[in-house]
Amino acid sequence: MIKKRHLNLFKCLIFFLFSVFLCACGYTREEKLYMENVEELGSQNAINYIKDKYGISAEIENIEICKDREEGNSFPPPNGYVLLSMRYRDKSFTVQINGENETLEGIDDFQYELITADAKKYFESLLTYEIHDIYLEYKENMISGDPYQDRQNVNLISEYYESGDLENFLQQHPVNIRIDDCSNQDLTKLAEINTNAASFFEKYAASYQTNTILISYRSKEDYQKGYSHTYGRYGLLTYEIYNDGLYIRSYAAFDKDETETACFALQEYDNIMFSYLDHGSDNAPVISDHQTQWRETGDTKGNPLSKIYSVITEQSGEITVYIPADQFEQYGKKPSLFIQHYYENKWWQYDPNLLSTTDKNYIFFVFHGVHGSSFDFAVFS
């Protein structure tokens, strides 16, 4: 039987080890005090900075201590800066500023709406058509590194923007721009139709790191149905844009390395829609059913529940297949879909990633025809 004195000593030892464990895994008392001081001074600096820059008295809604990101570190060290959510009347905005020393130097996005409105007006004049939506993303310093990681401080800048000075603004900041219209136009002909616009985007991409993608949707209704409206963010201008081939007529993308333009073509077969880059009617995929057999590779079981659809083409690139949701669901609660194609003297079969359109009217998948785009697909139980 453990004596009471020994039990108390044991409890004290456990408490001591637990305290040491917490200290080792968390911030020290000195670090916590440092962060409290940074938060307090940073808050006052932010209020003074906005007052000095814009002549307004803003309120703080939330404050976050900025920390240096370190892989594998659950408690990254603070770097002396704070990120604040602030409000002036009915307008919310963000400020980042130092909290170690008194300063009136910071960065903010208070003028983001003004800059975006100026950009819309400027580019409508340049392009000579109505812009349905526009998105800007810019930084204080040049964007570098992995675009997936380098997302900090987006749209926060230090200088006061003078309305109407968009060209100078673009020359001073790296900017990612997306410009959407709903006019069902062929943007591959932009250089022929509007030489000034094409030259502008090419020049600013090469000289000032202005990455731009122009997207023309087939209609306003198609814009609303679009799977994604995030193209252009982080400099990923055309990332997975083939997902929206059902709704997008064409696009033109400009970055420092190249200008890429393309149109999406559509084919309908058995109520299924097929979307792919338009290489002309002579090079369009040939779509059929029951023209081939399903191979016995061991990847699927039983016979297909649906027809075996074949897509034959000599062109490489993505082909997106949109199957009406009600047509797909008639095969059961959880049907599976498989692709088969021939490559390197053997047949390959696999189930692709199935996605749903925004309006839930279609189930779709993408065949990435890196080595040629001919393939078959069918639905199984």
Side-chain angles (χ1 to χ4, degrees):
M1 184 174 181
I2 300 176
K3 293 183 179 181
K4 185 176 182 180
R5 182 169 61 86
H6 291 164
L7 183 60
N8 289 338
L9 287 174
F10 179 74
K11 288 181 178 179
C12 289
L13 178 61
I14 293 298
F15 179 78
F16 172 76
L17 292 175
F18 184 68
S19 300
V20 171
F21 174 78
L22 288 179
C23 290
C25 295
Y27 292 107
T28 65
R29 182 180 302 175
E30 290 76 12
E31 287 175 321
K32 292 179 179 179
L33 179 60
Y34 167 77
M35 287 190 285
E36 289 175 4
N37 292 335
V38 167
E39 180 176 327
E40 181 178 356
L41 183 56
S43 298
Q44 191 58 53
N45 284 343
I47 292 172
N48 294 339
Y49 160 71
I50 293 297
K51 178 70 174 178
D52 179 71
K53 185 174 181 179
Y54 300 112
I56 60 174
S57 297
E59 299 177 353
I60 296 173
E61 295 185 319
N62 185 54
I63 183 168
E64 175 186 343
I65 301 294
C66 297
K67 298 167 184 175
D68 292 328
R69 291 173 291 181
E70 294 182 353
E71 186 175 352
N73 188 351
S74 300
F75 298 92
N79 60 22
Y81 286 81
V82 290
L83 190 68
L84 307 99
S85 297
M86 302 187 72
R87 174 175 290 275
Y88 175 69
R89 296 179 179 173
D90 60 347
K91 179 182 178 64
S92 295
F93 59 98
T94 303
V95 173
Q96 184 173 16
I97 199 165
N98 187 272
E100 290 182 317
N101 306 291
E102 290 187 8
T103 183
L104 291 176
E105 296 181 359
I107 53 178
D108 68 273
D109 62 359
F110 184 79
Q111 294 182 293
Y112 179 77
E113 289 81 4
L114 172 63
I115 297 170
T116 302
D118 265 16
K120 184 174 186 293
K121 181 179 178 181
Y122 182 92
F123 290 123
E124 280 189 331
S125 175
L126 178 68
L127 291 165
T128 67
Y129 62 73
E130 180 182 357
I131 293 174
H132 181 75
D133 191 27
I134 184 170
Y135 171 79
L136 266 68
E137 176 187 276
Y138 47 82
K139 283 194 174 187
E140 177 75 357
N141 299 309
M142 298 301 261
I143 299 174
S144 61
D146 184 350
Y148 286 99
Q149 300 296 327
D150 195 21
R151 301 179 181 180
Q152 194 175 6
N153 305 337
V154 170
N155 302 331
L156 304 184
I157 57 174
S158 58
E159 78 271 22
Y160 182 89
Y161 172 76
E162 294 286 352
S163 183
D165 195 23
L166 185 71
E167 286 191 16
N168 183 60
F169 177 83
L170 295 177
Q171 293 173 17
Q172 298 301 317
H173 299 276
V175 185
N176 298 322
I177 306 172
R178 186 187 71 249
I179 298 173
D180 300 328
D181 75 79
C182 301
S183 305
N184 194 35
Q185 60 177 318
D186 182 357
L187 292 172
T188 65
K189 301 183 184 302
L190 180 67
E192 303 171 26
I193 298 171
N194 192 332
T195 304
N196 290 337
S199 298
F200 175 91
F201 292 119
E202 289 173 354
K203 173 186 175 182
Y204 273 67
S207 301
Y208 305 114
Q209 203 172 325
T210 302
N211 301 316
T212 306
I213 180 167
L214 313 176
I215 303 176
S216 186
Y217 286 80
R218 300 179 189 276
S219 67
K220 290 184 178 180
E221 292 73 22
D222 284 312
Y223 180 86
Q224 297 301 323
K225 295 176 183 178
Y227 180 74
S228 173
H229 292 298
T230 60
Y231 306 114
R233 294 185 181 181
Y234 320 125
L236 304 172
L237 300 183
T238 61
Y239 180 66
E240 293 189 340
I241 199 168
Y242 41 75
N243 284 338
D244 269 334
L246 183 61
Y247 311 113
I248 293 174
R249 168 73 188 283
S250 66
Y251 66 84
F254 303 84
D255 64 24
K256 63 181 180 63
D257 296 320
E258 64 176 346
T259 297
E260 176 186 346
T261 64
C263 272
F264 286 105
L266 295 175
Q267 273 197 67
E268 181 179 354
Y269 187 92
D270 204 13
N271 294 321
I272 300 173
M273 300 300 299
F274 297 80
S275 167
Y276 46 88
L277 291 184
D278 190 354
H279 297 290
S281 58
D282 292 341
N283 296 308
V286 176
I287 302 167
S288 61
D289 64 82
H290 284 307
Q291 299 300 311
T292 188
Q293 61 179 335
W294 198 261
R295 308 287 170 167
E296 294 293 338
T297 64
D299 295 291
T300 57
K301 296 180 180 179
N303 295 320
L305 300 178
S306 69
K307 300 175 182 178
I308 301 172
Y309 295 95
S310 298
V311 180
I312 308 300
T313 178
E314 296 181 358
Q315 301 293 328
S316 61
E318 284 78 13
I319 295 180
T320 307
V321 180
Y322 301 86
I323 305 172
D326 54 358
Q327 183 173 325
F328 185 72
E329 291 165 0
Q330 73 180 1
Y331 298 110
K333 290 185 177 180
K334 292 184 178 180
S336 58
L337 185 145
F338 275 79
I339 287 174
Q340 72 173 7
H341 70 103
Y342 192 72
Y343 174 60
E344 290 188 337
N345 299 317
K346 66 174 292 187
W347 285 94
W348 302 78
Q349 292 179 353
Y350 61 91
D351 52 335
N353 184 29
L354 293 180
L355 300 170
S356 178
T357 56
T358 300
D359 59 12
K360 308 300 181 184
N361 286 340
Y362 291 93
I363 302 297
F364 72 92
F365 69 90
V366 179
F367 180 76
H368 300 274
V370 178
H371 304 287
S373 292
S374 296
F375 66 99
D376 310 312
F377 68 92
V379 178
F380 292 79
S381 60

